[in-house]
């Protein structure tokens, strides 16, 4: 009977649709599972950017600088790295040195010495910032034991020929720091505290007043770096008499 056959067909189609639903769900779940099982495919566009951001945030600027210049990624300043730093542009140096953690271990130790000598001489924090700015611009806290420009030596690139002391005094970081601050018992150049009104002058101008550099405007670019460096390292640095 037609009605019965139509009803039968209707019931058959209904059962068929019902039986297909679990299969469709299974296929969908399998596809989703496969997608999540392939993290590289799901995040291929963002993973390298995240890794790069993480490396920058973690503070390995010196290692990244070495990699860009084809140097071993030691995180320490060897002679080849020191030469590359001397010729790098300001833009690259700012990309390299964002925080204290971007310095090499010896260079960070030298920065801490500058802070410690300032504390020992009762130099206000503003004066310590100025000293850090100066050393950052002049050497990135690399203690140059052989001349780089004329007879300039040490972290402040002081010159024996212009009255900053002997090469041995200039390349001794505590002694050269005392010379910069103006508290060393030798030398013929005015240091920080001999600059009239230094406390109220723009920090970059004070750096130049002490250093008498051919590039007077380049010190100011390191002011924020120096302030952050002092804030991070200063509290744990003991005074150096």
């Amino acid at each position: 009977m037609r009605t019965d056959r139509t009803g039968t067909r209707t019931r058959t189609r209904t059962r068929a649709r019902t039986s297909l639903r679990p299969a469709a769900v299974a296929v969908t779940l399998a596809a989703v599972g496969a997608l999540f099982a392939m993290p590289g495919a799901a995040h291929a566009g963002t993973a390298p950017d995240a890794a790069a951001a993480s490396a920058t945030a973690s503070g390995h600027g010196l290692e990244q600088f070495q990699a860009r210049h084809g140097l071993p990624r030691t995180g320490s300043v060897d002679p080849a790295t020191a030469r590359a730093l001397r010729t790098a542009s300001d833009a690259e140096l700012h990309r390299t040195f964002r925080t204290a953690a971007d310095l090499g271990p010896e260079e960070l130790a030298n920065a801490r010495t500058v802070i410690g000598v300032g504390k020992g001489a009762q130099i206000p924090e503003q004066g310590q910032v100025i000293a850090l700015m100066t050393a950052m611009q002049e050497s990135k806290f690399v203690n140059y034991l052989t001349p780089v420009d004329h007879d300039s030596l040490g972290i402040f690139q002081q010159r024996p020929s212009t009255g900053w002391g002997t090469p041995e005094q200039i390349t001794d970081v505590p002694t050269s720091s005392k010379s910069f601050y103006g508290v060393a018992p030798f030398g013929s150049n005015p240091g920080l505290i001999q600059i009239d009104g230094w406390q109220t002058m723009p920090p970059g101008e004070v750096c130049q007043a002490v250093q008498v550099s051919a590039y007077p405007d380049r010190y100011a670019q390191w002011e924020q770096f120096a302030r952050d460096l002092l804030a991070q390292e200063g509290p744990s640095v003991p005074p150096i008499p």
Side-chain angles (χ1 to χ4, degrees), residues 29-92:
L29 290 177
V32 172
L35 180 61
F36 281 98
M38 300 170 63
H43 303 285
T46 58
D49 294 339
S54 176
T56 300
S58 61
H60 297 287
L62 187 57
E63 292 182 22
Q64 294 171 10
F65 176 86
Q66 290 169 325
R68 289 195 299 272
H69 288 264
L71 300 167
R73 294 186 61 169
T74 62
S76 298
V77 179
D78 54 23
T81 301
R83 287 193 296 272
L85 287 171
R86 291 291 300 181
T87 58
S89 67
D90 284 346
E92 182 177 18

Side-chain angles (χ1 to χ4, degrees), residues 1 36 47 66 95 106 137-138 169 181 200 218 230:
M1 291 180 291
F36 281 98
Q66 290 169 325
R95 181 166 54 137
E106 291 185 16
Q137 170 57 35
E138 295 288 356
Q169 290 170 327
Y181 286 124
T200 57
R218 297 181 73 186
L230 181 61

Side-chain angles (χ1 to χ4, degrees), residues 143-239:
N143 189 23
Y144 287 95
L145 303 180
T146 57
V148 176
D149 179 23
H150 299 291
D151 57 339
S152 300
L153 296 165
I155 67 169
F156 291 101
Q157 289 292 280
Q158 296 162 335
R159 300 179 61 183
S161 64
T162 59
W164 283 106
T166 66
E168 292 75 20
Q169 290 170 327
I170 291 172
T171 54
D172 180 72
V173 177
T175 303
S176 66
S177 299
K178 290 178 181 179
S179 294
F180 179 84
Y181 286 124
V183 298
F186 61 85
S188 58
N189 290 304
L192 173 75
I193 63 174
Q194 282 84 47
I195 304 300
D196 289 338
W198 71 264
Q199 297 94 330
T200 57
M201 291 170 59
E205 291 185 12
V206 183
C207 299
Q208 173 62 10
V210 176
Q211 297 293 104
V212 194
S213 168
Y215 304 98
D217 299 328
R218 297 181 73 186
Y219 296 105
Q221 64 185 323
W222 296 110
E223 181 177 353
Q224 191 58 55
F225 180 93
R227 292 193 184 281
D228 293 344
L229 176 59
L230 181 61
Q232 178 175 318
E233 299 296 319
S236 64
V237 175

